[in-house]
């Protein structure tokens, strides 16, 4: 988890997603809204698969607190 800042000074949180392939491990950073969109897309594409529920923002309520990170 890391905190970023927009050009107008607003803070936001990014979450790291690690993917492992035969060629190595890749690290990608996403904002919560992007991960939520990914979850929605996966559910539409694989409707018959059992995908765990995506956590709500409440789980990450203290994300801007440096002690939380």
């Amino acid at each position: 988890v890391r905190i970023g800042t927009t050009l107008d000074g607003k803070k936001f949180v990014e979450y790291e997603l690690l993917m492992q392939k035969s060629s190595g491990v890749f690290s990608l950073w996403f904002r919560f809204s992007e991960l939520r969109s990914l979850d929605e897309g996966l559910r539409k594409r694989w409707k018959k698969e059992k995908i765990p529920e995506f956590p709500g923002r409440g789980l990450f309520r203290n994300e801007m607190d440096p002690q939380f990170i």
Side-chain angles (χ1 to χ4, degrees), residues 3-15:
I3 297 176
T5 306
T6 62
L7 294 175
D8 61 354
K10 295 180 182 178
K11 292 185 178 183
F12 61 90
V13 175
E14 291 182 305
Y15 302 90

Side-chain angles (χ1 to χ4, degrees), residues 13 15 30-40 54 57:
V13 175
Y15 302 90
F30 295 94
R31 293 174 76 163
F32 184 89
S33 59
E34 295 169 321
L35 290 173
R36 171 69 76 189
S37 294
L38 174 63
D39 176 69
E40 291 171 0
F54 191 79
R57 286 187 185 265

Side-chain angles (χ1 to χ4, degrees), residues 3-69:
I3 297 176
T5 306
T6 62
L7 294 175
D8 61 354
K10 295 180 182 178
K11 292 185 178 183
F12 61 90
V13 175
E14 291 182 305
Y15 302 90
E16 186 176 23
L17 180 64
L18 298 173
M19 294 183 288
Q20 185 171 352
K21 295 179 71 175
S22 59
S23 57
V25 176
F26 298 89
S27 174
L28 299 169
W29 291 89
F30 295 94
R31 293 174 76 163
F32 184 89
S33 59
E34 295 169 321
L35 290 173
R36 171 69 76 189
S37 294
L38 174 63
D39 176 69
E40 291 171 0
L42 292 173
R43 288 179 190 284
K44 286 178 184 176
R45 184 170 178 148
W46 289 290
K47 293 178 182 179
K48 295 180 182 179
E49 299 297 322
K50 292 184 180 180
I51 300 174
E53 289 298 316
F54 191 79
R57 286 187 185 265
L59 179 63
F60 305 108
R61 194 166 304 274
N62 295 323
E63 69 235 6
M64 293 296 193
D65 180 355
Q67 291 182 341
F68 175 78
I69 296 173

